[in-house]
Amino acid sequence: MRIGVPKETAAGEKRVATVPDVVEKLIKLGFTVAVESGAGDAANFADDTYRAAGAEIVPGAAELWAQSDIVFKVRGPSAAEVALMREGGMLLSFIWPAQNPELMQQLAAKKATVLAIDSLPRQLSRAQKMDALTSMAGISGYRAVIEAANAFGRFFNGQITAAGKIPPAKVFVAGAGVAGLAAIGTAANLGAIVRANDTRAEVADQVVSLGGEFVKVDYEEEGSGGGGYAKVMSEGFQAAQRAMYAQQAKEADIIITTALIPGKPAPKLITAEMVQSMKPGSVIVDMAGEQGGNCELTVPGEAVVRHGVTIIGYTDLVSRLAKQSSTLYATNLFRVTEELCKTKDGVINVNFEDDAIRGLTVVKDGSITWPPPPLKLPAAAPKAAPAAAAPAAKKSHGHGGGGEPMSAQALAITFGVGALAFLFVGAYAPASFLSHFTVFVLACFVGYMVVWNVTPSLHTPLMSVTNAISSIIAIGALVQVAPPLDAAGAANRPNALILGLAVFALALTAVNMFGGFAVTRRMLAMFRK
């Protein structure tokens, strides 16, 4: 089958749906790839790089659409592009079916099969590699901070100079989804004081881990809406949230808003009165501009100044990092293609038994299949399983097989046998052996208590350290290799066998010592930034 990649026609769109590195991988799956001439120019991917990767360069869009079995796009097709699409073809792109019912009808009339990358069921853990929404949101959150820094009148980080003290910028992020978390991390790394809020209480720890402070609304209500989005909150919560936002607007130098609800206009979080209360020179970056904006004064696609505050409503934040975003998006589409072509023979199989593919498919052979049915949740584990295993455990009673503890009789027998063994050793072994044997037993006991009474989560770093410390055995080996002088001033040299064992023990202990410290050093390095 032939995959076609046309040039994006939406105004300001610089991304391209695949990149040369991914072209090579698609060819290995058994597909042929055609790219419209100039499709990657805005993202710094020249036609020659596609040719070198094995793609065919097609001069015009009409030819590419007509000859492609599958079309990869970034933004949904326009009416003119749908008209160019071959009957019964396949499209993989952002579609937003809830917001574009007319486009859905046009694609259905073409008997097309359409996979909307924005409809991927993000609850599935294995869908993460295909999640283009997350990939693009992370980039837009980073770019939002860069745009804010460009429009802001001073440093993000605080500085003390000979000319005076510069306080750090205060950044407030409304919404701590993927984009919001990316913005929090970027602003904190630039040295700003970052605060953030989200209706989902579970993201508070994520905000703190990135260097921000979570600002809680003084109203108890759960805001998780499923699929990585927040739900519409009650009037009481919204009133409390507005009061908190009004307070943050007075204190913040920069506000970044990210709030979106699937299938609905962006909620208005920042009112005109809040903008007016902000300090002159402050900045608002409204990342929800394409859906109407979270600020009442946002102009989608533009940066405007209102009441001395710069309000940035750009709808192309991701395209402003076109090369990076194209690479990530192309990888997401490749992962989808892998799921569609598991046989690696260049033939697509839209398998509705696969929850991820079923969620992606919004039109199948001209029939609209959106919205998909609810996901099948895995069955809960039976609670009776532990009780059923109890009889088997009882069978090992008294035999040390992992069941109940030994009985008093078995314990007495064990200690009796041990006592007889020690009595035999004490009666017939030389006095020097007995003293060494006593030290050996005590060392085993101390070692057991040191290692096995530690929390299991600490075993790995502790074992590396204790292995190194336990190399005190090296001292014993050195004593055998170079024994102390006796009363007459002569060295009591051991025989060849003992000397050989001592040297061998010294070599092993040296490996253990240096290896233990090396492992510890590597583990500690994992926690350094």
Side-chain angles (χ1 to χ4, degrees):
M1 297 181 76
R2 182 184 176 96
I3 296 174
V5 182
K7 185 176 182 178
E8 297 296 320
T9 59
E13 183 56 72
K14 298 179 181 179
R15 288 173 292 175
V16 61
T18 198
V19 299
D21 288 344
V22 174
V23 167
E24 296 177 355
K25 298 176 183 179
L26 291 171
I27 292 173
K28 289 180 181 178
L29 282 181
F31 297 95
T32 59
V33 181
V35 179
E36 183 181 351
S37 180
D41 287 351
N44 295 317
F45 295 110
D47 289 350
D48 289 342
T49 61
Y50 285 104
R51 286 194 186 94
E56 177 188 351
I57 301 300
V58 178
E63 181 182 349
L64 183 132
W65 280 89
Q67 296 179 359
S68 299
D69 301 297
I70 314 163
V71 174
F72 285 3
K73 271 186 60 59
V74 178
R75 292 185 179 260
S78 63
E81 288 175 316
V82 174
L84 296 175
M85 189 175 184
R86 66 187 296 179
E87 193 87 4
M90 183 180 290
L91 174 67
L92 179 55
S93 172
F94 281 106
I95 298 295
W96 304 108
Q99 291 95 320
N100 296 295
E102 292 183 6
L103 174 61
M104 294 283 286
Q105 293 295 336
Q106 293 169 2
L107 292 168
K110 278 284 189 176
K111 306 295 182 184
T113 295
V114 181
L115 278 71
I117 196 68
D118 47 88
S119 296
L120 179 75
R122 303 167 80 186
Q123 303 94 319
L124 300 175
S125 59
R126 68 182 186 85
Q128 294 178 1
K129 62 183 180 181
M130 302 179 269
D131 190 0
L133 284 174
T134 295
S135 300
M136 299 301 102
I139 292 174
S140 61
Y142 171 87
R143 184 68 192 196
V145 176
I146 302 303
E147 293 294 340
N150 183 56
F152 191 47
R154 56 184 175 84
F155 301 133
F156 265 44
N157 62 320
Q159 295 188 18
I160 298 177
T161 69
K165 180 180 179 181
I166 302 173
K170 295 180 180 179
V171 178
F172 178 70
V173 180
V178 176
L181 292 173
I184 291 165
T186 305
N189 288 337
L190 288 175
I193 297 173
V194 185
R195 296 173 180 170
N197 169 260
D198 197 283
T199 57
R200 297 158 293 185
E202 65 268 17
V203 305
D205 290 340
Q206 300 175 38
V207 171
V208 174
S209 70
L210 290 169
E213 174 190 348
F214 188 79
V215 183
K216 190 178 180 185
V217 176
D218 191 16
Y219 193 99
E220 293 297 330
E221 183 177 351
E222 175 54 43
S224 295
Y229 293 98
K231 69 176 184 180
V232 179
M233 307 300 286
S234 67
E235 286 296 330
F237 182 92
Q238 292 182 33
Q241 187 183 53
R242 283 193 293 270
M244 184 270 289
Y245 281 168
Q247 180 62 35
Q248 293 299 322
K250 294 177 183 178
E251 299 177 3
D253 299 304
I254 295 168
I255 294 178
I256 298 174
T257 65
T258 69
L260 286 173
I261 298 173
K264 297 180 180 294
K268 300 299 180 184
L269 305 178
I270 308 298
T271 64
E273 290 78 12
M274 294 180 194
V275 175
Q276 195 168 2
S277 71
M278 295 180 72
K279 293 171 283 189
S282 298
V283 179
I284 296 175
V285 180
D286 193 340
M287 295 178 62
E290 197 164 2
Q291 303 300 325
N294 296 136
C295 177
E296 289 183 346
L297 302 181
T298 296
V299 178
E302 299 182 19
V304 297
V305 179
R306 300 287 186 269
H307 307 295
V309 177
T310 302
I311 304 172
I312 299 172
Y314 295 150
T315 58
D316 62 344
L317 289 173
V318 180
S319 281
R320 291 170 182 253
L321 291 170
K323 187 165 188 174
Q324 182 71 73
S325 55
S326 296
T327 301
L328 294 182
Y329 182 68
T331 302
N332 293 139
L333 296 194
F334 169 69
R335 296 305 181 189
V336 174
T337 309
E338 278 186 322
E339 294 296 315
L340 292 168
C341 181
K342 293 185 176 180
T343 55
K344 298 184 180 181
D345 58 357
V347 177
I348 292 293
N349 176 28
V350 182
N351 179 17
F352 270 25
E353 297 299 318
D354 186 322
D355 287 337
I357 301 303
R358 177 63 188 89
L360 282 168
T361 308
V362 296
V363 181
K364 175 72 180 297
D365 297 327
S367 299
I368 295 177
T369 59
W370 184 88
L375 289 174
K376 299 175 184 177
L377 297 176
K383 295 183 179 179
K394 289 183 178 180
K395 293 181 181 179
S396 61
H397 176 77
H399 297 283
E404 296 179 2
M406 284 192 294
S407 65
Q409 181 180 1
L411 191 61
I413 293 173
T414 302
F415 272 98
V417 172
L420 290 174
F422 282 124
L423 180 62
F424 179 80
V425 171
Y428 295 98
S432 60
F433 174 82
L434 193 60
S435 64
H436 289 305
F437 185 71
T438 302
V439 173
F440 172 75
V441 172
L442 290 175
C444 290
F445 176 75
V446 171
Y448 176 85
M449 297 301 294
V450 167
V451 175
W452 294 110
N453 284 340
V454 175
T455 304
S457 61
L458 298 178
H459 269 178
T460 303
L462 178 69
M463 288 298 290
S464 62
V465 175
T466 53
N467 283 342
I469 295 175
S470 68
S471 298
I472 194 66
I473 298 169
I475 296 177
L478 289 173
V479 169
Q480 295 297 328
V481 173
L485 300 178
D486 58 17
N492 185 17
R493 296 289 179 184
N495 60 39
L497 176 61
I498 294 177
L499 183 62
L501 290 175
V503 172
F504 183 67
L506 186 62
L508 289 181
T509 303
V511 173
N512 184 47
M513 182 188 303
F514 291 106
F517 281 116
V519 171
T520 302
R521 182 176 178 276
R522 291 190 63 181
M523 292 197 63
L524 292 176
M526 294 171 61
F527 297 94
R528 295 195 184 101
K529 191 172 180 180

